Amino acid sequence: EVQLVESGGDTVKPGGSLRLSCAASGFTFSSYAMHWVRQAPGKGLEWVSSISRTSDYIYYADSVKGRFTISRDNAKNSLSLQMNSLRAEDTAVYFCAREALSGYTNDYWGQGTLVTISS
Amino acid sequence: DVVMTQSALSLPVILGQPASISCRSSQSLVHSDGNTYLDWFHQRPGQSPRRLIYKISNRDSGVPDRFSGSGSGTDFTLKISRVEAEDVGVYYCMQGTHWPPTFGGGTKVEIK
């Protein structure tokens, strides 16, 4: 069974940093591109960042470029999101999601971890 | 970025009756490879999104056949043939054809 379990969410002050993790199991992690998608409270879904299978290709939404860094450790079946210079508008539930082998779609999502930016 | 528009924010439905959710994209979602990467997701309160439909009309494993997707180009529809209580929640369309992937604003299905 495919499982994606996020962790690391917390309440931090504006300007602070946080590192999210996503533990993957039930599939060959190294064979799949991975994504982070976020959802502000009561709002819709926003793609944040993507990383290819071997980390050769990395992409960010304009809203987080220069502040967030996505990475993965295929030996540990783990995806991470380092978040720096956090702003109030970064407050959201952050989901990790697996990209399907065929590409262009996310077929499995984790349960999410809540990040709250507040002074 | 491609804008995905779900015109109905809320859709009151009667149990056992059909329901239809529409999604429109700001440009054609036909990929250069000939596929159209339009998905539908269902999110129950407090849960993560679950993919129901991919490439317009392909149901994911375990998705009841009362769910069907249709459309082409820029206009897409998710239909529920007979709404059940477990179908409440928010439905999102998502396009993966153009980078970056973008989502519709969501349509909340609730029982009338």
Side-chain angles (χ1 to χ4, degrees), chain A residues 35 37 39 43-47 50 59-60 62 95 99-100 102-112, chain B residues 31 33 37 39 41 43 46-51 54-55 60 92 94-97 99-101 103-105:
Chain A
H35 299 249
V37 179
Q39 185 171 36
K43 301 298 184 182
L45 299 164
E46 178 190 17
W47 170 80
S50 301
Y59 304 98
Y60 299 99
D62 288 344
F95 299 100
E99 182 175 308
S102 59
Y104 308 105
T105 180
N106 296 328
D107 56 0
Y108 285 93
W109 297 55
Q111 87 289 348
Chain B
H31 194 275
D33 66 7
Y37 295 102
D39 304 333
F41 293 86
Q43 186 178 34
Q47 295 187 16
S48 59
R50 174 199 180 193
R51 195 180 69 174
Y54 61 97
K55 287 196 289 186
D60 271 280
Y92 295 95
M94 188 202 97
Q95 69 82 23
T97 297
W99 196 261
F103 297 85

Side-chain angles (χ1 to χ4, degrees), chain B residues 16-30:
Chain B
Q17 294 299 303
S20 181
I21 301 169
S22 66
C23 173
R24 178 168 291 176
S25 58
S26 61
Q27 56 185 279
S28 173
L29 298 186
V30 179

Side-chain angles (χ1 to χ4, degrees), chain A residues 32-71:
Chain A
Y32 291 82
M34 298 295 295
H35 299 249
W36 286 99
V37 179
R38 69 185 180 183
Q39 185 171 36
K43 301 298 184 182
L45 299 164
E46 178 190 17
W47 170 80
V48 173
S49 182
S50 301
I51 187 168
S52 63
R53 292 174 296 170
T54 55
S55 305
D56 290 342
Y57 299 97
I58 288 175
Y59 304 98
Y60 299 99
D62 288 344
S63 57
V64 307
K65 199 172 295 182
R67 301 187 298 121
F68 290 11
T69 302
I70 191 173
S71 61

